[in-house]
Amino acid sequence: MYRQRNFLLVLATATAAAMPAVGQTPSATGAASTTHSATPVPNFTRVWTHPVFPWFEPPALGPGPITNLSRWPEQRPQTEGGSAALPASKVGISNYDQLVGDYKSPILQPWAAAIVKKFGEMSLAGITFPNPSNQCWPSPMPFIYKLGTIQLMQQPDRITILYGGYNNEVRRVRLNEPHPSPLTPSWYGDSVGHYEGDTLVIDTVAVKTNRKYAMIDLFGTPYTDKLHIVERYRLRDYDDVKDALERNAKENWMVNGDVWTRRRNEQFLQLHVVIEDEGVFTMPWTATLTYAPGGDSVAESVCAENRNEYYNNRESDVPQADKPDF
């Protein structure tokens, strides 16, 4: 288990009233068009939580994310020993103890399907294959969604997203700007955003590919330099997200149980994401993540403080520097 220390993040953020009502619609090529909206900019500034593994809620219709071929027969709450560790089944929710991606999914090109199949075979053999999470590496988009606690901080010219869970990571989104050209790939990619009425739209490209553990999900699905992600964040009432939560409960392991239903009188933050990568996928696919209101702060978590993999009895391959930075 990773040692954690809580601390209160106190950061000055702009109020919704201070947000600009004029935005630019960016594209992956760097072009931008100006749009105008009289709708007040929503206030997303708070902590939100989505404790689910894997994390995507499948869409009601159309192509969705890779799902797990290994299933648990039922949901059970998390214990101090980790996951529920139920026997594998052909029905039920995704078995977090055995991650076998659906390599026959029609969204995968053959070479990508072969990679997903290889990782699944390792899992079936009892091998926990390395990924950004268990090796304490920065998470690429959209693997970063595994960090189930987020805090959005809005300012007139940018959005900062703090992620908390097994580690702490930060994304920075520039508002009302196009992508630069040429683009330099980075850990989280280049993210630009704008408001469309009550929706925050974030466009991300140029996610770093020449890195260890370059995958977008827990099944080892690869990505290329053509990865393009469009996120749409909205505040929604319980009745508006109930269908997504029902799909979530049938597919995913809810680590802390149902954190949504007991807060049905509050608003939720729902992320609708569209992912395309013509180097990996045969078509774009969609999913949602529904976040419930969280606590007052994002807990500090330093994954590399405890490198021992209790399930492999070895040290994780944490990032290391050959020489000091300073």
Side-chain angles (χ1 to χ4, degrees), residues 102-133:
D102 183 6
Y103 59 92
K104 294 183 179 180
S105 170
I107 71 171
L108 290 175
Q109 294 185 21
W111 76 270
I115 290 176
V116 173
K117 182 180 180 181
K118 179 181 177 181
F119 281 122
E121 289 171 345
M122 293 172 65
S123 190
L124 287 170
I127 301 171
T128 300
F129 55 82
N131 63 45
S133 169

Side-chain angles (χ1 to χ4, degrees), residues 177-194:
E177 292 185 15
H179 293 295
S181 181
L183 271 168
T184 301
S186 57
W187 290 108
Y188 310 114
D190 187 72
S191 295
V192 293
H194 65 280

Side-chain angles (χ1 to χ4, degrees), residues 47-50 146-151 162-165 291 297-299:
V47 176
W48 304 91
T49 183
H50 182 265
K146 186 177 187 295
L147 290 157
T149 301
I150 64 172
Q151 184 172 14
L162 304 181
Y163 292 82
Y291 292 87
S297 63
V298 176

Side-chain angles (χ1 to χ4, degrees), residues 143-154:
F143 194 99
I144 200 169
Y145 297 148
K146 186 177 187 295
L147 290 157
T149 301
I150 64 172
Q151 184 172 14
L152 275 71
M153 296 177 290
Q154 296 166 272

